[in-house]
Amino acid sequence: MEGEEPVTVAEGISLLPSFEYETVSGSPVVTIEGTEYDANESGTEISFILDGEEIDPTEHEPADDEQIVLEISTETADDT
């Protein structure tokens, strides 16, 4: 991430328009364009992946050219 001071992945997400990151009860909560994804909810999983490995977005400060993937999976009552 460019800028004077390095930021963590979590801080960087909150700097993006329409995105927000917070930690609630030790689990990530990501909001995208008003839709909240809460890893504390049953059936919701949130992962941040770098080079095939899960990273802690509150600790990792991205380096130039790193490609970090945010994976959100949800399960609804209709899923089997």
Side-chain angles (χ1 to χ4, degrees), residues 12 64 77:
D64 288 343

Side-chain angles (χ1 to χ4, degrees), residues 2 7 11 14-15 19 22 30-31 35-37 42-44 46 54 66 78 80:
E2 295 181 13
V7 298
E11 292 167 331
S14 292
L15 293 172
F19 285 77
E22 63 182 318
V30 176
T31 304
T35 301
E36 183 178 276
Y37 301 94
S42 178
T44 300
I46 300 173
E54 192 165 349
E66 282 186 344
D78 295 334
T80 56

Side-chain angles (χ1 to χ4, degrees), residues 8-80:
T8 65
V9 174
E11 292 167 331
I13 286 174
S14 292
L15 293 172
L16 297 170
S18 303
F19 285 77
E20 184 179 334
Y21 178 94
E22 63 182 318
T23 302
V24 177
S25 299
S27 295
V29 177
V30 176
T31 304
I32 303 171
E33 295 185 345
T35 301
E36 183 178 276
Y37 301 94
D38 186 343
N40 289 305
E41 293 181 6
S42 178
T44 300
E45 295 181 17
I46 300 173
S47 301
F48 293 83
I49 310 296
L50 172 63
D51 296 331
E53 300 289 325
E54 192 165 349
I55 61 168
D56 180 346
T58 64
E59 297 291 327
H60 185 80
E61 293 178 356
D64 288 343
D65 298 325
E66 282 186 344
Q67 293 185 11
I68 299 168
V69 177
L70 166 59
E71 293 182 349
I72 300 173
S73 63
T74 61
E75 183 179 296
T76 63
D78 295 334
D79 290 344
T80 56

